[in-house]
Amino acid sequence: MPKTESIQLAHIRLYGVVQGVGFRPFIYKLALEYNLKGWVHNTSEGVEIEVEGEFKSIKQFIQNLHPKAPPLARIERIKIDYRTPAGYEKFEIRNSIAEEEGQYQLISPDIATCDACLKEILDPHNHRYRYPFTNCTNCGPRFTIIESLPYDRPRTTMRNFPMCSLCQAEYNDPLDRRFHAQPNACPRCGPQLRLINSNSELFITQDVIATAAQLLREGKIIAIKGLGGFLLACDATQEMVVNTLRERKKRPSKPFAIMVTSIQEAEKYCRISLEEKELLASPSCPIVIMRRKPNSILAQSLAPNLQYMGIMLPYTPLHHILLRDAQLPLVMTSGNLSEEPIAKSNFEALRRLSEIADYFLIHNRDICSVYDDSVTMIEDKKIQLIRRARGYAPFPIHLTFKSRQILACGAEMKNTFCLAKDNYAFLSQHIGDMENIETLEHFDNTISLYKRLFDITPEIIAHDYHPDYLSTRYARELGEKGAKTVAIQHHHAHIASCMADNKLSCPVIGVIFDGTGLGDDGQIWGGEFLIADYSSYDRLGHLEYLPLPGGDTAIKKPYRIAVAYILSLLGEDTLTRYLSSKEGQQINPNEIEIIKYQIARKLNTPNSSSMGRLFDAIAALTGIRKEIDYEGQAAIELEMAAYDHHRDKSAAHSKSQFDKKYPYHITKENGVEIIKLATLVDAIMDDLLQGIPQTEIASKFHTTIAHMTNDICLLIARKNNLNRVALSGGVFQNRLLLRKTAKLLQSNGLRVFTHKQVPCNDGGISLGQAIIANFNNK
């Protein structure tokens, strides 16, 4: 403890997101406020400060570091020691220290345009009026332009744009909000836009953005270079235009997100809660999935058969100007063909998107890291991430323990990877479905970037059990080069991810409902009840195994699953009865015989305990969705049908009717609770053949699954003296199921934990893999 009299000198190190967020000018102003002398500079691990002055002033300075910090800063840790006074005569901001071996610092995600910058670009008297690359220390690109640390302009993709005298003056002024804003630029010195057609011919115009807006009003599709890659934009009110984009992009019915000018405009199209408004307008500015209003001007083909849609607000100056010029809600979807990574460079966009886009709005600032828009929803007044990318990555998940240096390669679908080090797990932005070489290259390049930025050399490589996943093959190739590899069971990783998300360390009851994950018995799991911690798990319950005739083909054609379940659970006579119904008659008789043949001989017919497949089967059986063209479509439309029933306010539907459920049986085999589904499927068949509406069947089915989950959890909880339940897996993106399940569990005295910082789908798997690998390789 220093003496409290005379002049003192405090040496302070700050760790966290403290670079590129206006932190040094904040420190400069705070030091002046308390009449302190000394210096501040960036290092490879954070910010270093020396302040000299009266002890009381130093104490006040330190006390205000947290409460007065810039809005985008996140101080993770402060280290202070007192030294002999140096006799400083002023306070100054010094140049950054070059990279120090073994040191690293956290990096801010890209941040939506702040109010001050927005005011400038909309002010005709401001020299940045309508300038699409306006930014300051409180907003703009960060992660997508950083090539190495420390975060200084020469180490970013802005190094090719020398600042003009005015920008340089702002950059040098500690009292200016653009002090050391590395992307700082204006029309005289910064990046510039160009408009070209699909033949790479330059469109000559005095106002590129105004012309692009006019083309959008005329029904054209434009590829727009954004922060982390290209987006495809078109008029969201014209059915023909939206369907043209669908046809060209090979995306028949997967929903499109739209961008609108303001929350007020968003309220024309969706019912928006206070929490959703706050999320829409947050610095992360994600896509928010909200309940759609009927009879708006929006094209119905934006989200076919769905009652929810994704909306985001403009998050760059270019978006703000374009939306105001176009005076239209715009589709803003990833610039790619379905299943490919989004296009990153101008050349790549022209090569890959020329058959989709009529025009290209491009610029000459390079993108270092590809970055999708994040997708979120609000449930129970809390945010849930569906896709974690722009605005969230690469900020890490804080761990309650110190981890070894680990690379976890994630899953096949909705891939992310995770690099763990110290008390941090650096979960990557959304990579995509690992189904082609382009995505694998994106995966590899992004791993290299993260390893470089955060100075991580993995000791252990974690991967999924499934040997055919590209992520698994990638990990094993590293193993062949000498790295230590460890295989992690898919559903154990789900629960470890949820536990880390909630900072849990004691064992929990884990409920994992998803589509596919290879189990340790070689079967496909997906309707699982585990007791798990970070090092091990016991499988104490699951749905009974049922056949998937055709494997992946069955997933794309859920009617195959429905036929297989009826045949396996209820027999040939019941299947014949179903095939004579209106729903059953839609299935090709020849394919029925093929399905029977596959099941009888177990040809390409794996067994599965998947809850996702059960949802698919019921959606197909009821005629809601027999074939899909995007992942989860059948289950999503089954959820929408249930909502239709719940919204019926007529006197004929009392509250008790909404709580009706179907029968099911639970048996114990070798100490494991098995949920038998024959009575459930039989009862649904009876309702269907008696003409009960699809909506009512869908509602009862959701209620049944919630009760089923509650029953198994109570059995496990009472036997093992546990009261914490962690819910994970993509099926829990179903709001209705999540709501019903959580309510039942809580009403029975169980504490329910859901994901908050990472997705419950396979986008969160890599976090769990990294943690399990750490605890199993001491």
Side-chain angles (χ1 to χ4, degrees):
M1 188 73 179
K3 296 178 181 179
T4 57
E5 67 273 5
S6 70
I7 302 298
Q8 300 292 327
L9 187 149
H11 183 88
I12 304 168
R13 287 183 177 270
L14 297 167
Y15 306 86
V17 178
V18 289
Q19 292 190 25
V21 292
F23 206 87
R24 286 178 297 172
F26 155 67
I27 293 296
Y28 180 89
K29 293 173 189 176
L30 196 63
L32 295 185
E33 181 180 344
Y34 292 108
N35 193 31
L36 299 173
K37 311 298 190 266
W39 49 264
V40 59
H41 65 199
N42 285 342
T43 71
S44 289
E45 58 180 352
V47 167
E48 188 175 15
I49 307 165
E50 282 198 352
V51 284
E52 185 176 82
E54 297 289 339
F55 176 74
K56 180 180 178 182
S57 297
I58 292 175
K59 184 178 179 181
Q60 290 175 316
F61 173 89
I62 293 170
Q63 288 175 340
N64 281 289
L65 287 174
H66 270 291
K68 291 188 176 182
L72 303 182
R74 297 196 193 187
I75 301 174
E76 293 277 316
R77 184 162 55 97
I78 301 178
K79 183 179 178 182
I80 305 169
D81 62 272
Y82 288 86
R83 301 179 178 181
T84 304
Y88 295 122
E89 296 182 354
K90 62 179 181 178
F91 193 89
E92 61 182 339
I93 297 175
R94 293 182 174 178
N95 292 332
S96 300
I97 292 180
E99 187 171 346
E100 304 160 84
E101 185 175 352
Q103 303 300 329
Y104 64 99
Q105 51 123 347
L106 306 186
I107 298 172
S108 169
D110 292 27
I111 298 299
T113 305
C114 69
D115 290 342
C117 285
L118 179 59
K119 184 177 179 181
E120 289 176 342
I121 64 174
L122 299 180
D123 180 2
H125 304 292
N126 191 285
H127 79 287
R128 287 190 173 89
Y129 176 57
R130 294 178 64 84
Y131 182 59
F133 302 96
T134 300
N135 65 87
C136 69
T137 53
N138 296 321
C139 69
R142 296 290 188 278
F143 177 63
T144 53
I145 64 170
I146 296 175
E147 295 177 336
S148 63
L149 295 175
Y151 176 50
D152 288 314
R153 195 178 183 104
R155 295 169 181 260
T156 74
T157 59
M158 284 297 293
R159 65 180 175 276
N160 296 322
F161 300 96
M163 284 179 279
C164 66
S165 58
L166 182 58
C167 287
Q168 191 68 53
E170 294 171 326
Y171 184 89
N172 293 337
D173 183 358
L175 300 179
D176 193 287
R177 80 174 198 280
R178 292 192 169 93
F179 176 73
H180 281 217
Q182 305 306 334
N184 188 30
C186 75
R188 287 185 287 182
C189 63
Q192 299 294 322
L193 289 174
R194 287 191 300 161
L195 183 64
I196 60 177
N197 64 21
S198 56
N199 294 319
S200 303
E201 298 167 337
L202 185 65
F203 197 111
I204 305 299
T205 175
Q206 290 186 333
D207 191 325
V208 169
I209 302 178
T211 302
Q214 178 59 38
L215 291 169
L216 288 166
R217 286 195 298 271
E218 293 172 3
K220 303 300 183 184
I221 297 169
I222 300 182
I224 301 172
K225 189 176 184 181
L227 285 175
F230 277 78
L231 295 174
L232 291 163
C234 72
D235 182 353
T237 68
Q238 294 189 47
E239 294 284 0
M240 186 171 69
V241 175
V242 174
N243 284 321
T244 297
L245 177 57
R246 288 198 175 282
E247 183 180 342
R248 293 181 185 178
K249 190 174 161 65
K250 295 180 172 55
R251 184 168 165 162
S253 53
K254 189 176 182 180
F256 284 137
I258 66 169
M259 182 179 284
V260 300
T261 307
S262 64
I263 288 177
Q264 291 71 31
E265 185 182 357
E267 287 181 306
K268 296 178 182 178
Y269 314 127
C270 287
R271 296 185 176 94
I272 306 179
S273 68
L274 176 62
E275 292 79 16
E276 287 166 339
K277 287 180 183 179
E278 291 175 351
L279 184 55
L280 277 168
S282 68
S284 299
C285 202
I287 296 170
V288 183
I289 309 295
M290 300 175 292
R291 184 176 287 281
R292 187 173 180 174
K293 286 182 177 178
N295 306 318
S296 76
I297 64 169
L298 295 176
Q300 289 299 308
S301 53
L302 289 171
N305 302 319
L306 304 184
Q307 298 162 24
Y308 287 83
M309 68 176 304
I311 293 184
M312 60 180 156
L313 299 184
Y315 55 85
T316 71
L318 172 57
H319 296 148
H320 280 285
I321 301 165
L322 182 65
L323 266 291
R324 284 166 171 78
D325 284 1
Q327 297 184 330
L328 290 168
L330 297 177
V331 170
M332 285 283 181
T333 189
S334 52
N336 59 0
L337 278 172
S338 291
E339 313 308 332
E340 291 183 357
I342 60 175
K344 173 181 171 182
S345 69
N346 297 335
F347 174 78
E348 182 185 4
L350 285 163
R351 177 175 60 84
R352 290 172 48 199
L353 305 179
S354 60
E355 298 297 319
I356 303 176
D358 301 304
Y359 293 90
F360 291 76
L361 190 54
I362 63 175
H363 60 74
N364 56 342
R365 184 181 71 201
D366 290 338
I367 295 169
C368 184
S369 187
V370 174
Y371 216 35
D372 281 282
D373 292 316
S374 292
V375 182
T376 63
M377 69 180 190
I378 295 290
E379 179 55 38
D380 192 25
K381 298 186 177 182
K382 293 176 286 194
I383 180 174
Q384 292 207 2
L385 285 161
I386 297 170
R387 183 170 74 196
R388 185 179 186 269
R390 177 185 52 77
Y392 297 94
F395 194 75
I397 309 303
H398 194 277
L399 304 176
T400 56
F401 52 86
K402 191 168 184 178
S403 173
R404 298 172 69 176
Q405 297 194 28
I406 295 169
L407 167 63
C409 294
E412 183 85 343
M413 307 298 288
K414 296 179 173 61
N415 178 271
T416 62
F417 63 82
C418 182
L419 281 159
K421 176 181 181 178
D422 299 333
N423 291 101
Y424 297 118
F426 295 94
L427 188 71
S428 76
Q429 69 267 36
H430 172 79
I431 300 296
D433 295 345
M434 298 281 280
E435 296 180 335
N436 52 59
I437 191 65
E438 293 85 1
T439 306
L440 182 60
E441 289 175 355
H442 171 36
F443 175 81
D444 183 44
N445 291 338
T446 311
I447 288 174
S448 296
L449 175 66
Y450 273 64
K451 286 165 65 177
R452 184 169 70 248
L453 292 178
F454 302 117
D455 194 40
I456 296 176
T457 303
E459 308 167 44
I460 303 165
I461 314 297
H463 60 83
D464 193 270
Y465 270 8
H466 203 297
D468 295 331
Y469 285 178
L470 280 180
S471 55
T472 300
R473 293 177 184 176
Y474 179 91
R476 288 180 171 175
E477 285 180 11
L478 293 179
E480 290 171 1
K481 297 175 183 177
K484 182 177 181 180
T485 62
V486 56
I488 307 294
Q489 202 282 320
H490 188 92
H491 300 94
H492 187 200
H494 263 302
I495 288 306
S497 173
C498 188
M499 290 176 64
D501 207 345
N502 289 279
K503 296 186 175 3
L504 301 176
S505 56
C506 297
V508 300
I509 301 169
V511 181
I512 315 96
F513 291 165
D514 64 358
T516 299
L518 186 63
D520 53 27
D521 60 357
Q523 308 281 12
I524 296 174
W525 293 6
E528 309 306 313
F529 297 84
L530 313 178
I531 288 182
D533 57 20
Y534 290 142
S535 60
S536 64
Y537 68 93
D538 287 315
R539 189 189 194 200
L540 297 184
H542 61 85
L543 294 181
E544 67 174 304
Y545 285 123
L546 289 167
L548 290 180
D552 288 344
T553 300
I555 295 171
K556 294 174 182 176
K557 297 181 176 181
Y559 66 82
R560 283 179 149 261
I561 308 175
V563 169
Y565 282 19
I566 294 169
L567 183 62
S568 301
L569 294 169
L570 305 175
E572 185 91 33
D573 290 345
T574 305
L575 177 60
T576 301
R577 189 160 57 104
Y578 172 69
L579 294 175
S580 66
S581 70
K582 180 182 69 174
E583 290 76 17
Q585 287 174 1
Q586 300 171 21
I587 304 173
N588 187 322
N590 291 331
E591 192 158 8
I592 297 294
E593 295 307 313
I594 293 172
I595 294 169
K596 290 180 181 179
Y597 185 86
Q598 287 183 296
I599 293 172
R601 288 161 179 78
K602 299 182 180 181
L603 293 174
N604 190 23
T605 302
N607 286 325
S608 170
S609 62
S610 167
M611 182 62 77
R613 301 292 80 85
L614 178 59
F615 269 78
D616 289 347
I618 302 308
L621 189 153
T622 54
I624 289 171
R625 172 60 60 178
K626 292 193 178 298
E627 296 188 47
I628 66 168
D629 57 64
Y630 65 88
E631 186 197 10
Q633 183 179 12
I636 292 169
E637 292 185 11
L638 184 67
E639 178 190 1
M640 295 302 106
Y643 277 125
D644 283 339
H645 183 64
H646 277 251
R647 285 208 313 274
D648 190 339
K649 302 298 183 183
S650 69
H653 291 89
S654 65
K655 183 180 184 299
S656 62
Q657 285 180 298
F658 293 131
D659 294 330
K660 285 183 177 180
K661 64 181 190 295
Y662 289 112
Y664 52 88
H665 293 297
I666 299 171
T667 62
K668 181 168 283 191
E669 299 176 10
N670 300 318
V672 178
E673 310 291 346
I674 310 296
I675 302 168
K676 298 291 187 176
L677 300 173
T679 54
L680 183 152
V681 175
D682 194 33
I684 291 175
M685 283 276 297
D686 285 345
D687 274 0
L688 183 68
L689 297 176
Q690 290 174 26
I692 300 298
Q694 293 174 330
T695 56
E696 185 172 342
I697 295 172
S699 176
K700 285 175 67 176
F701 174 72
H702 278 78
T703 302
T704 303
I705 301 305
H707 279 273
M708 185 186 291
T709 306
N710 180 67
D711 288 350
I712 298 289
C713 286
L714 286 176
L715 287 171
I716 296 172
R718 289 164 183 165
K719 182 177 180 180
N720 296 278
N721 195 28
L722 295 172
N723 74 335
R724 295 181 177 186
V725 179
L727 306 179
S728 191
V731 172
F732 282 114
Q733 292 172 164
N734 181 319
R735 299 174 194 240
L736 182 60
L737 177 66
L738 178 60
R739 199 174 302 152
K740 284 176 173 283
T741 303
K743 183 178 178 181
L744 270 175
L745 293 169
Q746 289 163 349
S747 70
N748 283 284
L750 298 176
R751 296 182 62 191
V752 177
F753 296 89
T754 58
H755 289 265
K756 298 181 290 187
Q757 303 172 83
V758 303
C760 67
N761 59 44
D762 282 5
I765 283 278
S766 61
L767 172 62
Q769 289 176 340
I771 292 169
I772 295 167
N774 178 71
F775 277 82
N776 281 278
N777 284 275
K778 293 297 185 184

